[in-house]
Every structure is written in structure tokens, then in C-alpha cells.
Amino acid sequence: MKLLTKLPILALLAVLCYSCTADGIEDNVDAIELSLITPETKTIEIQVLELINDHRASLGLNTLSDMTVVKSVAFSHTDYMVINNEVSHANFYVRSDYLKANAGASRVSENVAYGYSSAQSVVNAWLKSDAHRAVIEGDFTNFDVAAEVNSEGKWYYTNIFIKK
């Protein structure tokens, strides 16, 4: 296959592998109810949070505190992505509204990803993307992440940031 035919395929793959969103983006998906569960924290999740805070600190930015309600909301979406076998921001406004009403958030953003097998690889991918890096380096106070693996051994991630 010639290089020109490979480039569009690679670009599509890159877009599908990770994504981010912020307040103001509306979904055309029917609203869902959040079923909030706070699973036990995994080592990979702790590593993601530490890598993000290390990056923020290296830039002189405030480090972010984790927050159980944010983790629960992140888990609900990660579980949704695993069940539907797709990486997406479906129903982001439901998560955002919930965190504004129940966590005192004035602003909410999220990064999602799929397929990265380590904390370092997913954080590196987010940092290489201008939009994802802007979320990571944004004006936030709290964050949390949920990472779940599907039946094929592929990881899904939802990293939610809020400003209180």
C-alpha cells in the first residue's frame, strides 16, 4: 500500500484511540442515569494520577486532588465504553451536570482513551495531543480516573477533571 493511502487510515486510527472533551459539547445520545459504583483503585489508575500530577508540578501548576465521586462518575463511563466496545464521550453532559450538582464543580472536562496497556503510554498519548494536554494542564482542582480492561485484554480509560 502506498504511503498516501496509509495516512488517512493512520489518522482515523489515531482519532479513534483517544479523545477529550470539555463543557459545552452536547451529545445527541439519549440521557442515561448514572449508576455510581466506586471500585477498588487499581495500580494503573494511581500511576495515571501520579504521572499527571508530576507533569503539572513540572510546569509549576497546582497538583490535583483525587475525589471519590469523580472516580465513580469516571467508572460509570468507562464501564459504558467496555460494554459498548467503543471509546466515546457519549453522555458527557450527564456526567458534567451530575458533578456540578453533587461535587461542587463549576467546570468539567474529560479525556478518554482505549488500547494503551500502561499508565505511561496513555498519559504520553494525551500529552502529545494539544487538546488532551490542554485538559491535563487546565485550571482544575480535582480529578480521578477509571481504567477497565475488556474481555480481549484491551484497556479503556476515563479521566475526569473538575474545578471547584
Side-chain angles (χ1 to χ4, degrees):
M1 198 182 295
K2 292 188 175 199
L3 181 60
L4 289 177
T5 57
K6 288 181 184 179
L7 286 176
I9 294 169
L10 289 173
L12 178 61
L13 182 60
V15 167
L16 293 176
C17 283
Y18 57 91
S19 186
C20 67
T21 193
D23 275 343
I25 295 178
E26 293 297 322
D27 295 329
N28 291 326
V29 179
D30 291 332
I32 60 163
E33 241 183 86
L34 293 177
S35 57
L36 298 182
I37 299 169
T38 307
E40 209 169 302
T41 302
K42 297 172 186 67
T43 301
I44 195 168
E45 294 167 335
I46 294 167
Q47 292 169 340
V48 167
L49 299 177
E50 288 174 348
L51 288 166
I52 289 172
N53 267 338
D54 289 349
H55 175 76
R56 290 178 61 88
S58 76
L59 299 175
L61 300 170
N62 64 301
T63 57
L64 307 176
S65 299
D66 59 345
M67 194 171 186
T68 302
V69 67
V70 175
K71 179 167 185 60
S72 298
V73 172
F75 174 75
S76 74
H77 184 60
T78 303
D79 192 46
Y80 170 89
M81 292 191 299
V82 169
I83 289 167
N84 290 286
N85 199 30
E86 68 177 3
V87 65
S88 75
H89 290 289
N91 300 301
F92 171 75
Y93 66 94
V94 174
R95 292 185 294 286
S96 177
D97 289 349
Y98 184 88
L99 290 168
K100 287 175 181 175
N102 295 285
S106 62
R107 191 166 148 238
V108 180
S109 289
E110 74 180 14
N111 286 339
V112 297
Y114 163 79
Y116 296 95
S117 59
S118 72
Q120 189 70 62
S121 64
V122 72
V123 172
N124 284 347
W126 284 331
L127 290 174
K128 287 180 184 175
S129 160
D130 291 340
H132 297 92
R133 188 176 59 256
V135 171
I136 288 171
E137 296 173 359
D139 183 20
F140 297 105
T141 56
N142 301 84
F143 71 154
D144 223 312
V145 65
E148 295 297 320
V149 65
N150 70 7
S151 60
E152 299 167 358
K154 300 291 184 185
W155 285 91
Y156 287 80
Y157 303 85
T158 305
N159 190 194
I160 298 179
F161 299 77
I162 70 169
K163 179 178 176 90
K164 288 182 86 171

